[in-house]
Amino acid sequence: MLKRRTVLQAGAMTMVGSRLVRAEEEFRIDVPAEFSGRFVAFGSQVKRGVETAVDVWKSVRGETVGGHSISVTEHDVQSNNATTVSVMSQLINSDRCHVLIGPGGSDIGAAAVPPWKQAADRPVWIVPGVSTMVVEEQIGKVPYFFHTFPWTYHYHKMIVAGLKASIGTDKKVAIIHSDGAYGRAHIKYAVKYLQDAGFNIVAQELIRENAPDYTPSLLKLRPLQPDVLYTLVQTSDAILLAKQIFSVKLTAPYLIGTFQTTLPEWKAALGDVQAYWTGVNTYIPNQHTKADPIEPKLFPSSDDWEDAWRKRWNKEPEYMEVGAYASCMLALLAWRKPSPWIETRSPRPWLNRPTRPRWGTAGSNRATLRCIRLSRRCWTSSCRSRAINTPASSGIRPTGRTVNCCRGHRYRWLYFSSLLSTRC
Amino acid sequence: MAVFLQLIVDALLIGGLYALLAVGVSLGFGVIRIINFAHGELAMLGAYGAFWAFTLLGVDPLVALPGLLVLGYLGGLLLFRGLIQHVLRAPPLNQILLTFGIALVLQHIAVVLWTGDNRNVNASYALSTTEIGPVLVFYGRLIAFIAAACLIGGLIAWLRWTETGRAVRAVAQNRDAATLIGIDPDHAYALAFAVSCALGVAGGAIVSFPINITPFMGFSVLLKSIAIVILGGMGSIGGTLAGAMILALAETMLAFYVPDGAGWTDGVAFGMIVAILLLRPRGIAGQGLTA
């Protein structure tokens, strides 16, 4: 028969042992993202952002976070909804990960929601992309979900405000939207904000995702002679659409896209055809924003950060790379307090705290570090006017400032908006 | 009327491209009775070949076309000798899995080598247009159509008037009879497969300037090609041409005349295929290799 003392000793040793094991536990950052398939570009951007953040953290704060070594594991969701569900379920229910960062695309992000939502013990999930309202409607207010990116309506609120201020609302607008999740998610808000502003919407034309020919749809719009052509399609379709708009001589003076119009991919694909297109973005290089006053080494001035990025990756930073960097850095900061074990719930209050201006903008959510900008870019390599906006301020503030670039293009839409509450 | 003419011209030009992409699938199936599910990926490689020739060497896709044709032919020959000929007598499922596997491997190699970014060949004529009466003609598509027509014409001429072409047709019609008169069927198979691969690569090079190039473009090319081949009739070059034109016309008219019709184009195309399979399973021109 066991003595009481022996049982107590065994119990105490087990407790101490388990604490020791937990102290050696790695802080797991799992990145479920699109590393193959149609949205592969998003996955590689998220990966680069996270890897850079972890390396910067290690060089500034050492190899550990809160006393735990850091492990980053990428998981390929293959740009496929079913795979996304399976990967998320595995990470949440079996692997018991601490923080999830990714995916990037709206369709895939929406597919990732159910396994996370259904889990009893949810890890913190920070999404550096995904604008679809499906995600916000389902989990926007759920604790432990953080979103460092604008939602669909932010795009259109921003664009329409810019249009209204610069060209007035007595204009005819024709909308082209794709039949995929992206187009369907955006059309509602584009129409709402355009109508609320008083624009005359003369046509809403649906096009097929991945179609090789949009000419019939464009031919329908040509006789209407719209002043503004407002396109709601994803990048690959947008490139082909822009080419065909040029070819069919659909000469709307104002050509509006979303994020794609600021991407190097767009520039490379379209050359001069991309001139006169306007879009939004959460990050544009060369803005000369100051370093974060509290964490200047983790969030240095944009010039320093961009220089380091270019040296490391030999390329300009993309918006989702910046988003993934910020998301990962926030996760590391949230768990920075030394702790013998990793508690997935403790950092939430910190993540939800109001923020001071960091990287150019203030926000009601710590995870919202950036802004959304309406810009037209001149892509001529020698031209320095390629990224234009105004100093940071809160709210939408059209400035009306005019800049002439090297090609004589007049850039008049210089707007800057702090999108404060991306988590809503 | 002007709009209707415009739509007809657009549909014809698009139909020519569809035909070129589908004709290789049709030839491959007509002779060796294997549907090559990697055909779309071969077109993707052709498009990348044209892109890199244009970007790195400044060579126009049309100038690069003969070289890409030869590369496609040699690649097809290698593929046949290395892999395809081992499943010639295997169950159809094995053949499908093999070619599908090849497609996946090629796609992932392309992602690793060139990333998933969109690429475009911005040749000077790619976006130019001219107005002929009330009709706007895209130079890029017109040039692509002419190139496609030349290649399809060359294929028909080869099948009809050359000894090797006739040998391929003979094997397609009756392998045993062809063997009896001294034709080597394995050689004919290899030749037909290599030519179908070369056509796929050439098709990709030609569509490199009207459409976007990505590692994932192959699947939609394959899907459309198979739809056309079923519509036109497996193994019939003439049927494939007719199928391509019908599909292009149906898509264009639907997109213009039906509200939100552009969203239904794929559905209607596949609806037509279902109807053909139910009412006339041999397609428009049926089995057998007819030029």
Side-chain angles (χ1 to χ4, degrees):
Chain A
M1 196 171 161
L2 289 170
K3 284 183 183 173
R4 190 178 168 207
R5 191 174 171 186
T6 314
V7 173
L8 287 173
Q9 277 178 341
M13 284 178 71
T14 309
M15 283 178 72
V16 170
S18 74
R19 286 284 175 94
L20 285 173
V21 168
R22 295 186 90 174
E24 287 166 9
E25 194 180 2
E26 284 185 322
F27 178 65
R28 287 188 53 170
I29 299 172
D30 287 276
V31 184
E34 303 92 331
F35 298 110
S36 63
R38 200 171 163 226
F39 303 118
V40 66
F42 289 154
S44 44
Q45 286 180 26
V46 173
K47 180 174 183 277
R48 281 193 287 269
V50 169
E51 280 180 5
T52 308
V54 170
D55 289 350
V56 169
W57 176 273
K58 285 180 176 174
S59 66
V60 174
R61 296 281 183 95
E63 292 293 313
T64 60
V65 59
H68 301 270
S69 59
I70 305 164
S71 91
V72 177
T73 316
E74 285 103 15
H75 308 268
D76 185 9
V77 298
Q78 300 174 2
S79 306
N80 177 287
N81 290 0
T83 314
T84 304
V85 171
S86 154
V87 167
M88 288 291 283
S89 299
Q90 167 81 21
L91 290 173
I92 296 163
N93 300 320
S94 305
D95 295 358
R96 300 276 173 184
C97 60
H98 301 124
V99 60
L100 293 163
I101 299 176
S106 284
D107 295 2
I108 305 304
V113 169
W116 186 82
K117 194 179 173 185
Q118 286 158 16
D121 190 15
R122 297 173 189 135
V124 167
W125 184 17
I126 307 179
V127 180
V130 181
S131 63
T132 178
M133 294 304 301
V134 175
V135 175
E136 195 197 18
E137 282 159 11
Q138 291 198 35
I139 55 169
K141 291 179 181 170
V142 174
Y144 315 114
F145 174 75
F146 298 90
H147 185 242
T148 59
F149 199 71
W151 295 114
T152 308
Y153 52 82
H154 291 126
Y155 289 33
H156 303 295
K157 189 177 176 184
M158 180 66 216
I159 292 171
V160 171
L163 279 171
K164 184 179 174 181
S166 65
I167 63 172
T169 56
D170 56 334
K171 297 288 185 286
K172 290 188 286 183
V173 181
I175 303 175
I176 299 177
H177 63 103
S178 72
D179 63 346
Y182 188 87
R184 291 191 189 281
H186 280 262
I187 183 72
K188 180 178 159 190
Y189 295 99
V191 168
K192 178 188 179 299
Y193 283 107
L194 284 165
Q195 280 178 342
D196 288 352
F199 283 97
N200 175 20
I201 300 174
V202 292
Q204 291 179 44
E205 190 62 31
L206 180 134
I207 58 170
R208 183 109 181 93
E209 250 181 16
N210 289 325
D213 184 26
Y214 303 121
T215 320
S217 302
L218 299 176
L219 288 174
K220 272 198 232 180
L221 299 180
R222 201 165 61 159
L224 302 173
Q225 296 184 318
D227 300 299
V228 179
L229 194 58
Y230 203 109
T231 62
L232 305 170
V233 296
Q234 282 198 321
T235 306
S236 56
D237 294 327
I239 288 169
L240 196 59
L241 185 64
K243 283 182 169 185
Q244 293 184 5
I245 286 169
F246 178 85
S247 292
V248 302
K249 298 176 181 170
L250 181 55
T251 50
Y254 300 96
L255 301 167
I256 307 293
T258 52
F259 265 64
Q260 68 280 75
T261 58
T262 54
L263 299 179
E265 193 177 352
W266 169 269
K267 168 205 167 186
L270 290 174
D272 284 349
V273 173
Q274 61 79 41
Y276 306 111
W277 278 85
T278 298
V280 287
N281 204 326
T282 50
Y283 187 84
I284 299 172
N286 306 320
Q287 297 308 299
H288 317 299
T289 46
K290 288 179 184 168
D292 183 289
I294 300 170
E295 301 287 355
K297 287 184 177 171
L298 302 179
F299 293 105
S301 73
S302 62
D303 288 346
D304 291 346
W305 189 85
E306 285 161 14
D307 284 346
W309 183 276
R310 288 183 196 112
K311 267 183 204 155
R312 173 167 184 168
W313 298 106
N314 198 25
K315 68 189 276 297
E316 289 290 321
E318 302 283 349
Y319 67 92
M320 205 171 288
E321 290 166 339
V322 180
Y325 177 91
S327 300
C328 183
M329 205 54 97
L330 288 165
L332 293 167
L333 281 166
W335 270 276
R336 69 193 181 284
K337 284 175 80 174
S339 164
W341 61 85
I342 298 166
E343 172 56 63
T344 54
R345 301 194 170 213
S346 59
R348 187 171 73 87
W350 183 84
L351 279 169
N352 276 331
R353 256 177 25 189
T355 83
R356 283 178 288 277
R358 286 167 197 281
W359 275 20
T361 183
S364 61
N365 185 309
R366 176 89 182 187
T368 307
L369 290 179
R370 290 152 298 114
C371 54
I372 190 162
R373 296 154 189 194
L374 183 65
S375 71
R376 299 172 88 169
R377 303 176 81 167
C378 174
W379 285 105
T380 308
S381 55
S382 59
C383 180
R384 303 307 299 169
S385 307
R386 65 192 194 137
I388 304 159
N389 65 14
T390 61
S393 58
S394 62
I396 294 167
R397 281 197 166 189
T399 67
R401 207 174 105 209
T402 301
V403 172
N404 290 311
C405 81
C406 69
R407 297 164 58 83
H409 296 157
R410 288 169 66 78
Y411 290 90
R412 295 197 306 112
W413 302 357
L414 314 174
Y415 301 106
F416 182 101
S417 167
S418 303
L419 280 179
L420 300 184
S421 185
T422 56
R423 186 156 175 268
C424 298
Chain B
M1 188 61 190
V3 171
F4 184 73
L5 271 176
Q6 178 74 58
L7 294 174
I8 295 283
V9 170
D10 283 344
L12 284 176
L13 297 183
I14 293 270
L17 297 183
Y18 283 179
L20 177 62
L21 291 166
V23 84
V25 176
S26 184
L27 176 68
F29 180 81
V31 179
I32 58 176
R33 305 290 174 202
I34 286 179
I35 294 181
N36 181 7
F37 282 86
H39 193 79
E41 273 59 36
L42 293 169
M44 176 268 290
L45 290 179
Y48 271 105
F51 170 78
W52 289 117
F54 183 79
T55 307
L56 299 178
L57 309 171
V59 176
D60 189 274
L62 296 173
V63 177
L65 189 58
L68 290 170
L69 261 172
V70 172
L71 284 176
Y73 178 85
L74 294 174
L77 217 51
L78 211 64
L79 212 54
F80 183 84
R81 293 293 181 206
L83 297 169
I84 302 292
Q85 72 173 7
H86 302 295
V87 295
L88 282 179
R89 286 167 194 79
L93 185 63
N94 293 24
Q95 298 170 346
I96 290 169
L97 288 175
L98 176 67
T99 56
F100 197 67
I102 294 169
L104 286 176
V105 169
L106 292 177
Q107 189 188 92
H108 282 89
I109 288 174
V111 173
V112 170
L113 290 178
W114 306 310
T115 76
D117 290 354
N118 284 281
R119 313 275 181 165
N120 287 76
V121 175
N122 290 328
S124 56
Y125 49 80
L127 301 175
S128 307
T129 51
T130 184
E131 290 190 30
I132 302 173
V135 176
L136 199 67
V137 179
F138 291 67
Y139 275 131
R141 286 188 195 170
L142 182 64
I143 290 167
F145 176 84
I146 292 168
C150 290
L151 283 172
I152 294 170
L155 173 70
I156 292 171
W158 175 67
L159 288 170
R160 184 165 279 188
W161 293 304
T162 68
E163 195 171 331
T164 50
R166 283 197 291 265
V168 166
R169 287 168 61 201
V171 171
Q173 284 170 11
N174 190 322
R175 177 193 157 101
D176 294 336
T179 309
L180 282 175
I181 59 169
I183 295 170
D184 177 0
D186 284 344
H187 179 66
Y189 285 162
L191 202 59
F193 189 80
V195 169
S196 80
C197 290
L199 287 169
V201 170
I206 288 172
V207 298
S208 65
F209 45 90
I211 68 170
N212 294 329
I213 304 166
T214 77
F216 315 107
M217 64 186 281
F219 184 70
S220 56
V221 167
L222 176 76
L223 214 60
K224 216 144 246 185
S225 300
I226 288 181
I228 289 166
V229 169
I230 291 170
L231 190 62
M234 287 281 192
S236 164
I237 304 294
T240 302
L241 296 181
M245 292 302 166
I246 290 169
L247 187 66
L249 269 171
E251 283 182 355
T252 307
M253 295 298 169
L254 183 84
F256 189 85
Y257 287 110
V258 177
D260 286 347
W264 291 95
T265 47
D266 284 354
V268 169
F270 286 101
M272 286 169 66
I273 291 158
V274 170
I276 283 279
L277 288 175
L278 288 174
L279 303 172
R280 191 180 160 82
R282 295 173 64 210
I284 295 168
Q287 289 267 355
L289 198 65
T290 53

